[in-house]
Amino acid sequence: ATIQYNSPPHYQTSYTASIIQSLPYSFVTLFCGWWGFPWGPVYTLSALGINLTGGKNLTNEFLNDLCRKAAASQPEGNSAGPASVQPY
């Protein structure tokens, strides 16, 4: 059986930082990823490609979640809505 695992999200300040932070995951993928048949080699190449290009950008997902949580915490009578939530 082939197992896929995503690392937890990491805040990145630069492309170089993302590459350095992905190195341990890339090494594990290089040495262990090939053995999961039939999809191991395919997932290994995909994971290495994602890691070497800086990972997945989750900024929009985080901002949408932040706005959704802020809107849910507003009192019922407040009509400002999620559009008034400004990310820092």
Side-chain angles (χ1 to χ4, degrees), residues 63-85:
L63 288 178
N64 289 337
D65 189 46
L66 178 66
C67 289
R68 206 174 307 114
K69 287 178 182 176
S73 68
Q74 291 180 351
E76 281 294 318
N78 189 348
S79 63
S84 66
V85 177

Side-chain angles (χ1 to χ4, degrees), residues 1 10 13 20 22 24 31-32 38 43 48 56 67 71 73-74 76-77 87:
H10 298 282
T13 56
I20 291 171
S22 72
F31 294 114
C32 300
Y43 290 152
L48 291 173
K56 294 180 182 177
C67 289
S73 68
Q74 291 180 351
E76 281 294 318

Side-chain angles (χ1 to χ4, degrees), residues 19-31:
I19 297 297
I20 291 171
Q21 202 155 32
S22 72
L23 282 178
Y25 298 102
S26 296
F27 285 131
V28 169
T29 300
L30 264 176
F31 294 114

Side-chain angles (χ1 to χ4, degrees), residues 4-70:
Q4 282 185 288
Y5 173 76
N6 291 322
S7 68
H10 298 282
Y11 175 72
Q12 302 297 330
T13 56
S14 70
Y15 174 74
T16 305
S18 66
I19 297 297
I20 291 171
Q21 202 155 32
S22 72
L23 282 178
Y25 298 102
S26 296
F27 285 131
V28 169
T29 300
L30 264 176
F31 294 114
C32 300
W34 300 101
W35 303 109
F37 288 106
W39 293 101
V42 174
Y43 290 152
T44 298
L45 293 174
S46 173
L48 291 173
I50 290 169
N51 289 351
L52 294 175
T53 57
K56 294 180 182 177
N57 187 350
L58 300 175
T59 304
N60 289 333
E61 287 84 352
F62 277 118
L63 288 178
N64 289 337
D65 189 46
L66 178 66
C67 289
R68 206 174 307 114
K69 287 178 182 176

